[in-house]
Amino acid sequence: AQSVTQLDSQVPVFEEAPVELRCNYSSSVSVYLFWYVQYPNQGLQLLLKYLSGSTLVKGINGFEAEFNKSQTSFHLRKPSVHISDTAEYFCAVTLNTGFQKLVFGTGTRLLVSP
Amino acid sequence: GAGVSQSPSNKVTEKGKDVELRCDPISGHTALYWYRQSLGQGLEFLIYFQGNSAPDKSGLPSDRFSAERTGGSVSTLTIQRTQQEDSAVYLCASSLELSRGYNSPLHFGNGTRLTVT
């Protein structure tokens, strides 16, 4: 079975500072990896995904993530955060089963302050 | 509508009552998913529909939970004899046809917050 670990439940950061949200996964087979964001009182929205190819994936709102197979990680980064990036971020994996049965991490709350 | 619509947005019910949660997917999306978001369990997969059939319902926690989809569109998640541990936010998501694989992202609704008292 697959699992996802997001060790940081909350990450406080000042505006315009860089940020990294950590995600590690466990799987005995190849997986697809995703980051979703949930803004307050809104539904989940896809930030970016890794399916194959280049291990550095760029997403919306200036976020990027790097797939590291040897470390089984898929950390999310942004070089300069904005107040509006305050949200809950979820890392997720799925097998290549043909549909998106996602296994989510417990989420990391990013708190950006002025 | 432009997005996935779920109703009601909030539901408070007494323990032992039945509840129905509704999901209207984005028009043309053949794949539909139900997930549950709770404090103790995080985000969990419940069931997946392709058209009106459910190839994977392995995430339904008990036989009190059931779901159906009609006309390849609207889906209803029913919880019978609700228990306090059923309290959670129930999320619905839809995506384009399966053949497009993972290039078709999941579009989530805002969820139904269920509170069982």
Side-chain angles (χ1 to χ4, degrees), chain B residues 34-109:
Chain B
W34 285 97
Y35 284 84
R36 180 169 73 171
Q37 187 174 21
S38 58
L39 282 176
Q41 301 296 326
L43 271 158
E44 308 168 275
F45 167 84
L46 297 179
I47 187 170
Y48 154 68
F49 286 92
Q50 180 60 26
N52 291 336
S53 63
D56 190 330
K57 54 180 78 172
S58 62
L60 295 178
S62 74
D63 58 7
R64 297 185 295 104
F65 287 72
S66 63
E68 65 175 12
R69 189 179 185 194
T70 55
S73 181
V74 172
S75 177
T76 302
L77 177 68
T78 301
I79 309 173
Q80 296 178 310
R81 305 180 303 280
T82 52
Q83 303 295 314
Q84 288 186 332
E85 61 262 28
D86 300 334
S87 295
V89 177
Y90 289 82
L91 298 171
C92 177
S94 69
S95 69
L96 286 172
E97 66 269 21
L98 191 61
S99 61
R100 294 186 184 227
Y102 297 97
N103 287 318
S104 173
L106 289 184
H107 296 262
F108 282 85

Side-chain angles (χ1 to χ4, degrees), chain B residues 11-22:
Chain B
K11 176 71 177 179
V12 179
T13 190
E14 292 180 353
K15 177 181 173 181
K17 300 283 190 183
D18 298 351
V19 295
E20 284 189 353
L21 312 180
R22 177 187 169 102

